[in-house]
Amino acid sequence: MQVDRRRFLFPIVGIVAVLVAAAIVVVAVVVPQRAELDAATARLAAAVGERDAAAAAVEEARAALLAAGDEASGLVAVVGRGAVADPATLDALAAVTVDAGEPPVTAAVPASPGDAAAIDAVTARVEGETAVLEDRVASLAADRDAVAGASRSVVASVHAWGLNTPTPPHAPADAAAAYTTALDALAEPADDADLVGLVTAFRTAFTTALAAHEVASRSLDAASVQPTIINGTLIANKTFRIPSSYGAGLTPETEAAFAAMQAEAASLGLDLYISSGFRSFASQEAIYGNYVATQGQAEADTHSARPGHSEHQTGLTFDLNSITEAFGSTPEGIWVRDNAHRFGFIVRYPPGKEAITGYIWEPWHLRFVGVPLATELVTTGLTVEEYFGITSAYSY
Ligand SMILES: [Zn+2]
């Protein structure tokens, strides 16, 4: 049987033609789609790379802030309030915390991997995360700078404290040199300096020099002993003496501050007057000697200073009104307790601190220390001895 091959040939040609057309369509449509997918995937990969770099930068910035915070709290622990000109700086440092939480990031897997539009949507989300992370880096860096700046200001403040604190005069040469060296190191510490170490070394050097000074001064006579000054505050107590020649009346600032306090008290109907002001070494010698003769030394020592140890010889101290414990309960005594610090005075021997100051409560005995220190002492409830970390006890 003769077969007409053309009858079969035509459909075959048709099928081939369809296949070729389909192939052309595949090449024309699918290949460009593939290229689009590849481009979208590449954009996503780049975005993820940037996002991961930003996330790493956040970790670095957090670590830097944590380190700055550790340094700051180390400084707060070492210096205490006494060495810082502005105690608010310490409060700010103590309040530093580093937020542990970070913005969440998306897993970089598109919802529909074959779809360029879906990949682009994920890319946009990743780019948004990068922006958030970069903001976080900037804010952590700003916090870090603020904390580091506060730490630097604490060190500057300790340095100023040192400049205001002469080398304890009777400290032996090696202790004096160590103090000067430690003080100089605080002047301009390098960027990578161990601030806590420097400040710790300074305080140790001062404490050592002060203790050596105190021991050496014990063997000196009253005329040879030199005054002890800590951050501008002249110290006269049972441990630290002032020279027998020291003092010549109340200082002008003490008199001016008393006049202001007296005037304000008078405007409230309160009568304040100085019943005992400056006392020379010689007059203190006579007063103390009289108490010893009548009461015995142990009793006399609870309320009267030995010559050279009296605050009355500093010119910064006076006794008010009646020199009796009852004064503390009078309107004048209560007002003085609550207001004297505004004029730069403290009730030097407060109740409950007898073992620290070495004296009974003396509501009448005021000491001028200036408004900032007086305010700080009243606010903290600390005595001069506690504030400066010193003792008040006779060594003889
Ligand atoms: Zn007194």
Side-chain angles (χ1 to χ4, degrees):
M1 193 172 71
Q2 184 68 33
V3 176
D4 183 353
R5 289 179 180 273
R6 284 173 304 178
R7 284 176 61 195
F8 300 98
L9 195 59
F10 181 76
I12 289 169
V13 168
I15 288 167
V16 168
V18 167
L19 289 174
V20 168
I24 288 168
V25 168
V26 166
V27 170
V29 176
V30 175
V31 169
Q33 276 183 354
R34 178 75 249 166
E36 198 187 338
L37 199 60
D38 287 348
T41 304
R43 285 196 296 276
L44 175 58
V48 168
E50 284 179 25
R51 198 268 321 271
D52 291 349
V58 167
E59 286 311 308
E60 261 178 52
R62 283 192 69 226
L65 175 55
L66 284 167
D70 284 350
E71 183 172 72
S73 40
L75 281 173
V76 171
V78 171
V79 303
R81 304 179 72 89
V84 179
D86 175 14
T89 307
L90 287 181
D91 297 337
L93 286 178
V96 168
T97 54
V98 180
D99 182 7
E102 293 301 340
V105 294
T106 309
V109 180
S112 171
D115 181 345
I119 296 175
D120 282 344
V122 175
T123 303
R125 208 158 72 227
V126 169
E127 285 170 350
E129 289 167 2
T130 303
V132 170
L133 291 168
E134 284 171 349
D135 284 351
R136 180 79 175 130
V137 170
S139 118
L140 286 166
D143 286 351
R144 189 254 164 214
D145 288 349
V147 172
S151 289
R152 293 258 150 192
S153 89
V154 168
V155 173
S157 178
V158 174
H159 184 239
W161 187 100
L163 294 177
N164 207 22
T165 304
T167 304
H170 302 304
D174 57 343
Y179 175 65
T180 305
T181 303
L183 174 58
D184 289 348
L186 297 178
E188 281 179 23
D191 285 346
D192 61 349
D194 170 13
L195 300 184
V196 176
L198 289 178
V199 168
T200 303
F202 170 74
R203 289 180 67 85
T204 301
F206 176 70
T207 304
T208 303
L210 185 68
H213 155 82
E214 194 271 311
V215 169
S217 67
R218 287 179 196 173
S219 57
L220 297 170
D221 61 34
S224 309
V225 73
Q226 292 299 306
T228 305
I229 296 166
I230 305 180
N231 196 20
T233 298
L234 174 64
I235 305 295
N237 67 12
K238 290 184 175 180
T239 302
F240 298 100
R241 285 186 288 166
I242 53 179
S244 53
S245 60
Y246 194 96
L250 290 181
T251 68
E253 58 186 353
T254 304
E255 285 189 329
F258 172 71
M261 182 170 73
Q262 185 183 43
E264 188 174 315
S267 76
L268 299 169
L270 302 172
D271 180 26
L272 293 183
Y273 58 92
I274 292 177
S275 46
S276 178
F278 173 76
R279 297 205 291 260
S280 68
F281 184 93
S283 61
Q284 187 67 27
E285 203 167 28
I287 289 171
Y288 176 76
N290 191 42
Y291 281 126
V292 171
T294 56
Q295 304 173 346
Q297 186 170 50
E299 176 69 15
D301 279 341
T302 67
H303 62 89
S304 182
R306 297 181 190 177
H309 293 271
S310 173
E311 284 205 316
H312 284 273
Q313 199 194 327
T314 65
L316 301 166
T317 287
F318 47 77
D319 296 333
L320 286 174
N321 297 24
S322 70
I323 303 177
T324 61
E325 196 175 298
F327 172 70
S329 307
T330 64
E332 281 83 0
I334 291 166
W335 186 84
V336 162
R337 179 196 67 196
D338 294 339
N339 293 279
H341 65 280
R342 294 194 290 107
F343 303 90
F345 296 106
I346 54 168
V347 175
R348 179 68 174 85
Y349 310 124
K353 300 287 181 108
E354 293 83 355
I356 296 163
T357 63
Y359 290 97
I360 57 168
W361 175 37
E362 295 191 358
W364 62 85
H365 177 109
L366 298 194
R367 160 72 197 260
F368 183 77
V369 292
V371 172
L373 179 54
T375 304
E376 182 69 9
L377 292 174
V378 165
T379 305
T380 57
L382 296 176
T383 61
V384 165
E385 281 75 19
E386 292 166 303
Y387 184 75
F388 287 120
I390 57 176
T391 60
S392 179
Y394 291 126
S395 57
Y396 58 95

